[in-house]
Amino acid sequence: MLQAFAEAEASALRGEVPVGAVIADQSGKILAKAGNRTLELQDPTAHAEMLVIRAAANLLNSERLTACDLYVTLEPCAMCAAAISFARIRRLYFGASDPKMGGVEHGPRFFTQSTCHHAPEVYGGFGEQRARDLLTEFFRHRR
């Protein structure tokens, strides 16, 4: 999770919403890490989670990441939750919950839907205050 926070902080320095993500294998080896890059890439899908899923899938030469865990500083949105499900991520660890745009514990609660074919084990609240502070500080400076 420390690497995810480093990626979130780097995102903030680039002017991106400070969200960072890391995918690791079962041994804990980091396969991919990224922060949000929606502005830089002019791509609304360039969320940190999407970027690490793409990178890990490319590295492993597989669209299935069944032996992988995802660490992200903010509760994934519905789009990212769908990608996590499609990739068959084993476990999801996230920092702050997101009552406004979250798709796991809030909003559509993607993994509880009958149409969801795979739901990872979900663990929230890891570094929650640090994640919340990072986001609060970022948006305070933007307003």
Side-chain angles (χ1 to χ4, degrees):
M1 195 60 139
L2 294 175
Q3 287 294 317
F5 277 111
E7 291 295 326
E9 290 164 358
S11 290
L13 292 174
R14 292 191 305 270
E16 302 274 2
V17 174
V19 177
V22 170
I23 287 189
D25 66 15
Q26 288 176 315
S27 73
K29 177 184 173 197
I30 294 176
L31 304 176
K33 57 187 178 176
N36 277 356
R37 292 188 178 274
T38 58
L39 299 173
E40 177 186 337
L41 300 176
Q42 296 182 337
D43 178 357
T45 70
H47 290 193
E49 302 95 320
M50 300 294 282
L51 296 172
V52 294
I53 288 170
R54 288 177 189 141
N58 187 48
L59 178 71
L60 298 174
N61 200 30
S62 176
E63 75 282 7
R64 300 284 188 246
L65 305 175
T66 57
C68 296
D69 299 334
L70 173 62
Y71 299 83
V72 62
T73 58
L74 183 65
E75 175 185 352
C77 69
M79 172 185 69
C80 293
I84 291 164
S85 177
F86 294 152
R88 307 296 196 263
I89 299 284
R90 184 175 72 134
R91 292 186 184 122
L92 166 64
Y93 298 90
F94 68 88
S97 59
D98 187 355
K100 218 173 178 182
M101 293 297 296
V104 176
E105 291 183 341
H106 298 87
R109 294 184 167 97
F110 189 88
F111 302 133
T112 65
Q113 300 302 314
S114 61
T115 54
C116 179
H117 297 295
H118 170 78
E121 294 176 31
V122 177
Y123 304 94
F126 288 90
E128 182 171 10
Q129 192 59 53
R130 182 176 177 186
R132 194 169 309 289
D133 290 347
L134 227 137
L135 289 159
T136 301
E137 183 72 13
F138 176 79
F139 285 112
R140 188 165 46 99
H141 285 298
R142 288 197 58 182
R143 292 184 179 127

